[in-house]
Amino acid sequence: MVFDVFRRERTDVFWIVGSGFKIRHAMTTLPGSVYTGAWVPALCETWLLIPTATPWPREPLTKHITERCTECAAIADREEHDEHTWDY
């Protein structure tokens, strides 16, 4: 049996730190579906530049950034999105 964790009846948001940002913003775009250097909109309508992936085995520099955009957080909470933290 195959279990689809990204079911259509729910909307997932991914908390990322876009290039040049110091806080996390939430986006509904699946991180692996966009390329480095692409621009994607956050829930708060801020455009985020997708950063370059961190080479293995190094740890992403953004891993320790926990501050979240308050506007994105309010929207994600109001719309009851399932939330994931994502680091490149």
Side-chain angles (χ1 to χ4, degrees), residues 7-81:
R7 296 182 307 272
R8 292 179 190 256
E9 65 267 10
R10 73 176 200 195
T11 303
D12 293 273
V13 293
F14 301 89
W15 288 95
I16 73 159
V17 180
S19 292
F21 284 86
K22 300 292 183 202
I23 65 170
R24 292 186 181 274
H25 284 271
M27 64 180 192
T28 57
T29 305
L30 185 64
S33 69
V34 291
Y35 56 89
T36 298
W39 290 92
V40 295
L43 293 181
C44 68
E45 298 182 8
T46 296
W47 284 88
L48 305 170
L49 180 62
I50 299 297
T52 303
T54 302
W56 186 86
R58 293 187 0 209
E59 186 173 282
L61 296 175
T62 59
K63 188 171 178 101
H64 301 290
I65 297 176
T66 58
E67 184 179 356
R68 293 179 168 186
C69 166
T70 54
E71 191 175 345
C72 284
I75 294 167
D77 186 50
R78 181 177 65 245
E79 296 180 3
E80 298 180 350
H81 291 294

